[in-house]
């Protein structure tokens, strides 16, 4: 479904769309202040919540009233705000929590970059770099608190998609799987857990690997998971018979993506498998997560989301044959290729 099929009168529908970012920013406030965790057991007034999280009570009330009007909290006749299925997703301690994702996407770096979307559209340049004077990866290296929120957000999104991924795709038969740009290892450890014979190598930039160390090492698959820091534009670890890259290639333009994929090709043996986990942009005007995530890439990294045909071309240009694309019950598909 898209906006053209709605029964809402066009001016009202347009007003709702225009004010969409007001909702987003209020979600950011709720996520940042940890409101969902504070009301998870019982409803609370804005005054009680303001005391607990250090906010201005009447302003917080206005934010929560607005969020209650779109189903994110309940509001009772004593103006106490309570949890709903939507705000459950913002609790810090639920599997696949979206709290960190809300904080990173709507907070201190993505949001200002989106404010300069017009700069990207006018010039083709990366709005984030224009806004902050450096690229996002350099920014995160110098802002460890923000980087932690970003990495937690990636882990939350990965946990969201894990079930759908495992239901759709069987990783059996792989001896050593290298997760390139694997962040804090949520995906790789979940695959190792389901495949007891498999070994894994988690590869990311050295700072991210340092951040992954504690949780991977106390996991039940620590003995089968090696941690390697490096730069995927220079090389990726050898020794794997399959490489997985989730949400990596969408960060980069074709030229840089080819450098990564050719490094993967070089490190893989004959018949090695290349498994990308990415959204595949559907043709036409169908509503799909990938179409706005594509703009997130435009403003944040200079990358883009790709169609099946665009993936096919990337595979061929880097020495792989695209075998099949397996959709999942999440925005992600598994794009499986083999080294030729
Ligand atoms: C969008 S995140 C995806 C993380 C993870 N695969 C996931 O889906 O949760 C991109 C990852 O690429 C890593 N990365 C960026 N540049 C890199 C580089 N030059 N070498 C190695 N890793 C890099 C980042 O640190 C980050 O973990």
């Amino acid at each position: 479904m898209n906006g053209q099929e709605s029964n809402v009168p066009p001016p009202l529908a347009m007003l709702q769309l225009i004010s969409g970012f007001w909702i987003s920013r209020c979600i950011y406030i709720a996520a940042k202040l940890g409101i969902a965790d504070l009301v998870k057991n019982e409803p609370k007034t804005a005054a009680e919540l303001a005391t607990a999280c250090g906010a201005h009570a009447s302003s917080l009330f206005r934010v929560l009233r607005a969020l209650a009007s779109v189903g994110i909290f309940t509001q009772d006749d004593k103006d106490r705000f309570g949890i709903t299925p939507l705000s459950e997703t913002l609790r810090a301690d639920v599997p696949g929590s979206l709290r960190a994702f809300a904080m990173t996407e709507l907070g201190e770096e993505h949001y200002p970059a989106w404010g300069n979307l017009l700069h990207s559209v006018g010039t083709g340049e990366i709005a984030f770099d224009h806004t902050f004077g450096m690229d996002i990866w350099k920014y995160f290296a110098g802002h460890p608190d923000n980087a932690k929120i970003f990495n937690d957000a990636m882990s939350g999104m990965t946990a969201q998609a894990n079930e759908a991924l495992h239901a759709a795709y069987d990783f059996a038969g792989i001896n050593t799987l290298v997760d390139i740009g694997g962040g804090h290892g949520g995906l790789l450890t979940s695959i190792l857990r389901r495949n007891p014979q498999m070994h894994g190598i988690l590869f990311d930039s050295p700072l991210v690997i340092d951040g992954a160390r504690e949780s991977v090492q106390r996991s039940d698959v620590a003995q089968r998971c090696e941690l390697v820091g490096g730069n995927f534009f220079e090389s990726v670890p050898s020794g794997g018979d399959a490489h997985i890259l989730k949400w990596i290639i969408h960060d980069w333009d074709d030229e840089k993506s080819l450098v990564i994929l050719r490094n993967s090709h070089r490190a893989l043996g004959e018949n090695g498998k290349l498994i990308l986990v990415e959204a595949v942009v559907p043709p036409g005007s169908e509503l799909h997560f990938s179409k706005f995530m594509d703009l997130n890439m435009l403003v944040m990294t200079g990358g883009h989301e790709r169609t099946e045909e665009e993936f096919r071309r990337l595979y061929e240009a880097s020495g792989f044959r695209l075998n099949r694309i397996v959709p999942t019950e999440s925005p992600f598909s598994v794009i499986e290729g083999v080294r030729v």
Side-chain angles (χ1 to χ4, degrees):
M1 198 185 99
N2 63 29
Q4 292 149 15
E5 292 155 8
S6 158
N7 287 327
V8 181
L12 188 54
M14 184 50 87
L15 274 176
Q16 286 170 350
L17 291 172
I18 290 170
S19 55
F21 93 93
W22 299 348
I23 301 176
S24 303
R25 283 296 280 180
C26 289
I27 292 172
Y28 169 69
I29 299 300
K32 171 100 178 160
L33 299 181
I35 303 294
D37 290 306
L38 292 171
V39 301
K40 69 180 178 190
N41 295 325
E42 54 177 1
K44 293 200 170 78
T45 63
E48 289 169 327
L49 291 168
T51 304
C53 67
H56 179 253
S58 64
S59 303
L60 181 60
F61 170 78
R62 292 159 72 179
V63 168
L64 296 176
R65 177 177 62 181
L67 285 173
S69 77
V70 291
I72 294 174
F73 292 103
T74 57
Q75 181 179 2
D76 67 16
D77 53 7
K78 294 193 172 64
D79 284 339
R80 289 177 305 200
F81 295 95
I83 199 96
T84 67
L86 279 177
S87 43
E88 276 281 342
T89 67
L90 297 178
R91 281 177 50 189
D93 56 353
V94 289
S97 168
L98 292 175
R99 180 179 181 219
F101 194 71
M103 286 168 69
T104 199
E105 293 296 326
L106 304 170
E108 293 173 22
E109 58 281 331
H110 290 67
Y111 186 74
W114 269 86
N116 283 322
L117 173 60
L118 185 59
H119 179 79
S120 289
V121 173
T123 63
E125 291 171 8
I126 304 169
F128 180 91
D129 299 17
H130 172 72
T131 311
F132 288 87
M134 66 185 92
D135 74 37
I136 180 72
W137 310 114
K138 192 165 179 200
Y139 170 91
F140 279 143
H143 294 78
D145 292 347
N146 298 59
K148 179 176 181 335
I149 294 169
F150 176 78
N151 289 321
D152 287 349
M154 293 302 105
S155 301
M157 287 298 282
T158 295
Q160 283 274 332
N162 267 352
E163 285 307 319
L165 196 59
H166 289 293
Y169 189 82
D170 190 358
F171 291 91
I174 297 171
N175 295 317
T176 301
L177 178 63
V178 186
D179 189 347
I180 298 174
H184 281 181
L187 175 62
L188 184 59
T189 53
S190 84
I191 297 171
L192 293 178
R193 205 163 284 129
R194 284 172 170 82
N195 294 276
Q197 308 305 323
M198 194 186 288
H199 283 78
I201 301 175
L202 180 68
F203 178 72
D204 207 297
S205 60
L207 275 176
V208 175
I209 289 298
D210 282 347
R213 207 170 295 283
E214 197 197 324
S215 67
V216 172
Q217 285 179 348
R218 73 177 140 72
S219 80
D220 51 346
V221 295
Q223 298 307 318
R224 292 186 282 127
C225 189
E226 190 185 335
L227 298 167
V228 179
N231 178 354
F232 52 44
F233 291 113
E234 290 169 5
S235 65
V236 302
S238 56
D241 51 336
H243 289 173
I244 188 164
L245 295 85
K246 174 172 164 286
W247 251 5
I248 300 302
I249 291 306
H250 83 150
D251 282 335
W252 306 101
D253 62 20
D254 283 0
E255 195 184 329
K256 293 206 173 80
S257 296
L258 283 175
V259 175
I260 301 170
L261 294 183
R262 284 177 182 145
N263 283 339
S264 162
H265 187 269
R266 205 163 294 126
L268 274 171
E270 189 97 2
N271 295 324
K273 249 188 204 170
L274 174 68
I275 302 165
L276 299 191
V277 182
E278 296 277 357
V280 178
V281 182
S285 65
E286 179 188 323
L287 180 63
H288 195 268
F289 185 68
S290 60
K291 293 182 182 175
F292 285 93
M293 182 51 84
D294 181 56
L295 300 181
N296 208 25
M297 295 302 103
L298 175 66
V299 298
M300 293 304 292
T301 64
H304 57 105
E305 304 296 325
R306 292 179 172 85
T307 62
E308 176 171 344
E309 191 42 43
E310 288 169 329
F311 279 115
R312 198 173 295 283
R313 281 204 296 269
L314 267 189
Y315 274 60
E316 276 168 15
S318 52
F320 293 95
R321 185 183 64 246
L322 198 159
N323 262 351
R324 57 184 179 138
I325 295 186
V326 183
T328 76
E329 293 285 326
S330 78
F332 297 104
S333 292
V334 180
I335 305 152
E336 184 196 83
V338 67
R339 186 185 191 279
V340 286

